[in-house]
Amino acid sequence: MTDASLAARGAALDLLETVLRKKIPLDDAFDAHEGLDALEPRDRGFVRLMVATVLRRLGQIDALITETLTKPDPIKAGVLDILRLGAAQLVFLDTPAHAAVDTSVAIAEQRGLQHYKGLINAVLRRVSREGADIVKKQDAGRLNTPDWLWLAWRTAYGTPRTRGIVEANLVEAPLDLTAKSNPHEWATKLDGTVLPTGTVRRASGGQVSELPGYDDGAWWVQDAAAALPAKLFGDIAGKTVYDLCAAPGGKTAQLAAAGAKVTSLDRSERRLRRLTANLERLNLWADTLTADAATWKPDELADAVLLDAPCSATGAIRRHPDIMRLKSQEDVTKLAGAQRRLLAHAVDLVKPGGTLIYCTCSLQPEEGEQRIAHLLSTGAQVDRSPVTPDELGGLSELINENGEVRTLPGQLAELGGIDGFFIARLVKRT
Ligand SMILES: C[S@@+](CC[C@H](N)C(=O)[O-])C[C@H]1O[C@@H](n2cnc3c(N)ncnc32)[C@H](O)[C@@H]1O
């Protein structure tokens, strides 16, 4: 057991505790952890993989631990987290048994939990012997999905499509990139493929910043579904666009690359700094502004407005499994209220005849379909402008009966799936 392997497990334990108990998103916890910089990139990658696997498979792992516990007594949170990380390595990450068990016992010692070393050793040895058979019999998709999400998705999409969502959420998403131009050329250079919608897709893994074209700003990371809203403005060259919730800037970059005159707003100064840095790398330009999009009053109305509203992000669980452990139905209700206010105000920022696109990376109808239905029921001066299959590379299954885009993670499975997204295009009445 090396110092590095122990340090990696220690960092993973810290991160798991930060997400599960302090309710801090994994990306933020990762950025703030001081010990990670001392690790090799490969070990840092393994830390993230261990934590993401526990968060993705928490229901299965907890059921497995319960089944293999020698005594049914409740276990201390710190001990449980060590067991969870150990079990994830043994059953899902193919870590050799001695490495997973020995490091787990050593971490317990380091954290003042020496009293539990015997229990950790016994449970993990049993998991290493019986774990694979036990998880084979589990209903993985259902066990790992919190009840509130399972019920909400079944109500909205029915059981077969919910099955598709939860199965897709078990697997890490591929790496999707938007190329500034020539996606086919970049797909060849990056050993990827081009999806019907134009996204360049390659298998996940490795350091993104080491890939060809990163330093030259030839492309940026953006899920295939997240790349759709900006495309639905059509030919946007020379038009004024307000990107109201813009950071970290994936959609601003698309609009700027397409020749639009973009003003990018975000309430968070910190996130807006990331947007500026991203645009700099890409050699693209937009006006930026820290402001509340629910009240911001520009001097002029825009040809086009994009509202990529803050949401529960339940469509992005493949990439961010922590969402399942952090969000609740109360969050969805609260966010829907904010979206309602942002959407009503966004209508007022569009010129007559101009286009408003509303989108969220949520699977919850309260943050998608219901927001548009509600807006239209209030008599807002906009009409739906239905999306047609040719605008999505022929993928008609991504369009609902109202001409809105509704993607589900179980769709396009043969191509590697797609994040869950909702997109509505509206036109301001003249
Ligand atoms: C879904 S993210 C946007 C992603 C971005 N459009 C992209 O493509 O990279 C939502 C953003 O909305 C911002 N936000 C939340 N409430 C806001 C408000 N009232 N006014 C402006 N920005 C807001 C958040 O800081 C966050 O950066």
Side-chain angles (χ1 to χ4, degrees):
M1 176 178 15
T2 62
D3 285 352
S5 67
L6 211 52
R9 269 74 174 192
L13 184 62
D14 295 337
L15 294 176
L16 190 60
E17 286 173 350
T18 308
V19 175
L20 291 179
R21 278 172 254 301
K22 297 192 188 139
K23 300 287 176 198
I24 291 178
L26 178 56
D27 281 351
D28 295 351
F30 204 86
D31 290 347
H33 193 290
E34 287 173 358
L36 286 168
D37 285 346
L39 296 179
E40 294 291 328
R42 210 181 59 127
D43 290 329
R44 272 204 300 276
F46 186 54
V47 169
R48 183 180 276 277
L49 182 63
M50 278 189 281
V51 181
T53 304
V54 173
L55 296 168
R56 197 182 297 284
R57 304 264 184 182
L58 193 66
Q60 275 183 288
I61 290 173
D62 282 357
L64 172 63
I65 291 171
T66 305
E67 203 166 328
T68 47
L69 266 180
T70 35
K71 282 193 224 147
D73 305 338
I75 352 174
K76 228 176 143 93
V79 178
L80 180 59
D81 287 344
I82 292 175
L83 288 174
R84 286 165 165 167
L85 283 165
Q89 293 170 65
L90 288 166
V91 181
F92 298 114
L93 300 178
D94 292 331
T95 309
H98 64 88
V101 179
D102 293 356
T103 50
S104 300
V105 171
I107 290 287
E109 171 117 47
Q110 265 186 2
R111 303 283 163 116
L113 299 167
Q114 46 276 68
H115 182 61
Y116 298 91
K117 279 165 54 179
L119 174 114
I120 290 168
N121 188 52
V123 171
L124 291 183
R125 292 230 168 265
R126 195 160 163 210
V127 167
S128 80
R129 287 192 307 273
E130 301 169 29
D133 286 335
I134 294 174
V135 297
K136 243 187 251 161
K137 294 186 204 121
Q138 290 176 327
D139 179 350
R142 176 66 191 92
L143 270 178
N144 293 317
T145 307
D147 291 346
W148 74 275
L149 281 174
W150 175 264
L151 293 172
W153 293 342
R154 248 188 22 184
T155 306
Y157 306 115
T159 304
R161 287 200 288 171
T162 299
R163 277 270 158 214
I165 296 169
V166 302
E167 298 302 330
N169 286 345
L170 293 174
V171 184
E172 196 190 343
L175 178 65
D176 283 354
L177 310 170
T178 298
K180 236 189 318 189
S181 57
N182 303 327
H184 287 278
E185 201 179 292
W186 281 107
T188 308
K189 287 186 189 156
L190 291 160
D191 202 14
T193 53
V194 181
L195 298 185
T197 54
T199 283
V200 176
R201 175 163 283 185
R202 80 190 294 277
S204 276
Q207 281 275 101
V208 168
S209 56
E210 304 285 312
L211 293 174
Y214 179 87
D215 287 334
D216 308 328
W219 47 260
W220 56 99
V221 174
Q222 187 174 42
D223 177 78
L228 299 176
K231 289 184 184 168
L232 297 179
F233 283 115
D235 182 5
I236 197 80
K239 301 213 174 129
T240 54
V241 186
Y242 297 150
D243 185 356
L244 294 181
C245 293
K251 298 175 191 72
T252 289
Q254 282 177 286
L255 294 163
K261 291 184 237 156
V262 192
T263 300
S264 296
L265 248 73
D266 204 278
R267 196 172 57 174
S268 159
E269 210 172 318
R270 181 180 63 86
R271 286 175 63 89
L272 210 51
R273 276 199 298 273
R274 266 183 66 200
L275 175 143
T276 308
N278 287 338
L279 290 184
E280 257 166 41
R281 178 180 71 81
L282 298 169
N283 204 10
L284 293 170
W285 196 84
D287 261 329
T288 58
L289 190 66
T290 311
D292 182 347
T295 52
W296 178 62
K297 293 235 160 58
D299 295 334
E300 289 172 17
L301 302 184
D303 297 311
V305 170
L306 173 61
L307 175 57
D308 182 17
C311 72
S312 62
T314 54
I317 287 171
R318 298 184 313 153
R319 295 175 197 286
H320 302 288
D322 51 334
I323 288 163
M324 286 195 285
R325 316 298 160 210
L326 297 172
K327 300 288 182 194
S328 66
Q329 181 59 49
E330 291 78 65
D331 293 319
V332 172
T333 307
K334 226 198 272 166
L335 284 158
Q339 291 152 2
R340 182 166 39 75
R341 288 187 290 280
L342 284 162
L343 194 47
H345 188 63
V347 171
D348 295 339
L349 307 181
V350 191
K351 275 184 192 164
T355 303
L356 167 62
I357 289 184
Y358 170 81
C359 61
T360 56
C361 60
S362 168
L363 291 174
Q364 314 315 113
E366 299 96 311
E367 301 184 85
E369 293 83 347
Q370 289 178 19
R371 292 283 49 82
I372 298 304
H374 176 267
L375 178 76
L376 298 177
S377 76
T378 62
Q381 294 300 298
V382 284
D383 295 299
R384 286 194 182 97
S385 163
V387 175
T388 55
D390 57 297
E391 294 180 279
L392 303 179
L395 300 171
S396 54
E397 67 268 40
L398 306 185
I399 301 174
N400 72 13
E401 64 284 4
N402 290 321
E404 298 157 343
V405 177
R406 160 54 76 198
T407 64
L408 303 175
Q411 288 173 314
L412 311 187
E414 63 294 351
L415 300 173
I418 187 161
D419 280 1
F421 237 85
F422 173 81
I423 311 165
R425 182 171 58 196
L426 306 164
V427 171
K428 184 91 171 266
R429 288 186 198 145
T430 47

